[in-house]
Amino acid sequence: MKAEDFMLPCPIKKFFGIDCFGCGTQRAIVMVFEGRFAEAFHMFPAVYTVLLFFMVVILNFIDTKRNYSNLLIFLAITNAIIMVISYFYKHLFLNIH
């Protein structure tokens, strides 16, 4: 069995036939753990900031003495910006027929 066998399908892509802003996240994370860093970035450019975001979320639960809310907000906004820019770049410039 491969990790791809356990991935959740994207409901937006399934029902509407178009990619969402997060399409490719699961595959990109698997690629990072397999050591295929460049391929992961090409699959989903926000993969590294998403992983950093989740590490800070875990750190927030472990280290309760410090306040990580400003860092989490910054990382969330950064992720959103990267996801929107890469989505429109992929659909406007790479899917030219």
Side-chain angles (χ1 to χ4, degrees):
M1 290 189 144
K2 295 191 277 185
E4 288 84 11
D5 297 336
F6 298 100
M7 291 186 185
L8 300 171
C10 176
I12 292 176
K13 188 164 188 160
K14 184 176 181 178
F15 292 122
F16 299 112
I18 58 172
D19 289 345
C20 70
F21 289 104
C23 276
T25 306
Q26 294 178 83
R27 289 176 286 163
I29 290 173
V30 168
M31 287 178 185
V32 168
F33 290 131
E34 291 175 348
R36 299 167 26 198
F37 303 113
E39 291 177 54
F41 181 78
H42 289 293
M43 174 69 63
F44 185 67
V47 67
Y48 298 112
T49 55
V50 166
L51 289 173
L52 181 62
F53 176 80
F54 286 125
M55 284 190 279
V56 173
V57 167
I58 292 168
L59 184 62
N60 188 38
F61 285 113
I62 293 171
D63 184 13
T64 57
K65 293 180 182 178
R66 293 192 177 130
N67 185 4
Y68 293 96
S69 61
N70 289 337
L71 180 59
L72 288 171
I73 291 170
F74 172 76
L75 287 172
I77 291 170
T78 303
N79 284 327
I81 290 170
I82 293 171
M83 290 167 71
V84 168
I85 290 171
S86 64
Y87 178 84
F88 284 111
Y89 177 78
K90 180 170 60 170
H91 287 285
L92 293 178
F93 297 108
L94 297 182
N95 287 337
I96 297 173
H97 300 283

